[in-house]
Amino acid sequence: MTAKLIDGKAFAATVREKVAGHVARLKEDHGITPGLAVVLVGEDPASQVYVRSKGKQTVEVGMNSYEHKLEADTSEADLLALIDKLNKDDSVHGILVQLPLPGHLNEDLVINSIAPEKDVDGFHISNVGLLGTGQKSMVPCTPLGCLMMLRDYHGSLSGMNAVVVGRSNIVGKPMANLLLKDSCTVTIAHSRTKDIEAVCKQADIVVAAVGRPEMITGDWIKPGATVIDVGINRIDAPEKGEGKTRLVGDCHFDSCAEVAGAITPVPGGVGPMTIACLLANTVTACCRANNLNEPEGLTA
Ligand code: GUN
């Protein structure tokens, strides 16, 4: 392997430390404790794991965590009523509704009922519009984490060619907007892109967010490029024993690491940054709500 490893786990720990410092100052100087409300509807096992982890880390940095677990058959009206209550609650600075929601609930309607200034996921249509026009907004956590790592590694991103592979609302599109805001030349590649391999090969920065295990291989990567792998895919690993699995990214790690200048591993790359950025967004939302200076280095 020739690429430098970008250690997301260690980076996330430094972000959490910064957040904890700001939380302590908010408490000491202003008597304010930031609060994050997480709403989980139903019992999707992966969502339960995420929500537990979010709650634990929220408390670890000194913030208040409010968990609302609702039955899978909760009506839309009841969910909207809870969100309305949280919107009006001054002790709640951030609201996150865990996705996916059960099929009978309209995700867009639910997300857009969150007060935009408390939308720590950055999914509300107002925040999407603000980011798209380069204005101050709440920024989706995973792309924010990728941006922080890229800025840390490169300093300025100005003038770099960036290719984002994947066009989801949660990662691909906001990532492209963030890179554009940092003056990259940005291409969004996707399943219909012609000669996607050649498109990627022009990139100084590749952000892979397609959800296809090990799709991007070393021969797609320009020598020295930076590869940010957002994918978390579980695949069979018969070499580890019958029925065993392992986690891989959207990039084939070994071959990409032979060519790239720097690369994030899976696990331990982008993944840990997502919750760290959720905590960062909650502190940012709390500061904005109280007309206080925002923490530096924790926003886009
Ligand atoms: N489900 C998987 N990832 C996320 C996320 O970042 N935010 C929310 N709300 N739900 C998710």
Side-chain angles (χ1 to χ4, degrees):
M1 170 170 154
T2 54
K4 180 185 179 295
L5 207 62
I6 299 178
D7 186 344
K9 199 172 163 202
F11 200 101
T14 68
V15 172
R16 284 195 302 272
E17 259 171 51
K18 270 194 208 170
V19 169
H22 285 290
V23 170
R25 272 193 291 282
L26 280 167
K27 281 187 196 179
E28 276 168 34
D29 298 349
H30 304 282
I32 299 166
T33 304
L36 172 64
V38 175
V39 181
L40 173 64
V41 186
E43 290 174 0
D44 176 65
S47 293
Q48 285 178 324
V49 172
Y50 280 130
V51 167
R52 207 173 309 131
S53 189
K54 284 169 189 167
K56 185 167 168 275
Q57 293 190 37
T58 302
V59 172
E60 278 169 3
V61 295
M63 304 199 291
N64 288 327
S65 169
Y66 308 104
E67 277 184 23
H68 296 268
K69 293 187 176 166
L70 307 181
E71 300 289 331
D73 62 355
T74 297
S75 70
E76 202 159 82
D78 283 351
L79 178 56
L80 293 177
L82 171 61
I83 292 171
D84 187 48
K85 201 173 95 187
L86 297 172
N87 283 341
K88 291 173 177 153
D89 184 340
D90 288 341
S91 66
V92 172
H93 304 96
I95 302 170
L96 179 146
V97 177
Q98 185 67 28
L99 303 177
L101 287 170
H104 67 286
L105 299 170
N106 179 336
E107 254 173 35
D108 288 339
L109 182 74
V110 170
I111 295 303
N112 290 324
S113 74
I114 298 171
E117 64 277 12
K118 294 191 180 188
D119 167 38
V120 282
D121 259 328
F123 295 166
H124 189 289
I125 192 73
S126 294
N127 283 315
V128 175
L130 289 167
L131 177 61
T133 49
Q135 300 179 69
K136 194 161 89 173
S137 67
M138 296 308 300
V139 176
C141 303
T142 301
L144 178 58
C146 297
L147 183 76
M148 283 184 189
M149 290 193 288
L150 283 166
R151 282 179 175 171
D152 181 67
Y153 184 70
H154 284 287
S156 169
L157 307 180
S158 180
M160 296 181 83
N161 284 328
V163 173
V164 179
V165 188
R167 53 177 157 175
S168 71
N169 291 333
I170 291 180
V171 183
K173 287 181 203 160
M175 187 76 246
N177 271 322
L178 287 171
L179 291 165
L180 193 57
K181 207 161 162 246
D182 268 28
S183 301
C184 290
T185 302
V186 182
T187 303
I188 302 181
H190 49 77
S191 54
R192 302 290 175 93
T193 298
K194 291 201 175 83
D195 203 356
I196 190 166
E197 185 177 329
V199 171
C200 288
K201 199 143 191 166
Q202 294 174 7
D204 304 308
I205 294 169
V206 175
V207 180
V210 264
R212 290 190 51 192
E214 300 179 321
M215 182 181 97
I216 296 171
T217 48
D219 50 340
W220 295 34
I221 304 297
K222 179 164 107 173
T226 300
V227 176
I228 305 290
D229 192 349
V230 179
I232 302 177
N233 312 287
R234 190 166 283 286
I235 61 166
D236 291 336
E239 72 281 3
K240 287 169 67 180
E242 203 188 310
K244 297 283 185 196
T245 60
R246 65 189 174 98
L247 289 179
V248 297
D250 292 346
C251 300
H252 183 269
F253 184 83
D254 288 346
S255 62
C256 289
E258 285 303 323
V259 187
I263 187 167
T264 59
V266 177
V270 175
M273 287 297 288
T274 297
I275 296 184
C277 287
L278 174 67
L279 305 176
N281 276 350
T282 305
V283 170
T284 299
C286 179
C287 291
R288 288 179 184 170
N290 289 283
N291 291 316
L292 298 168
N293 286 337
E294 287 176 27
E296 267 180 37
L298 293 182
T299 49

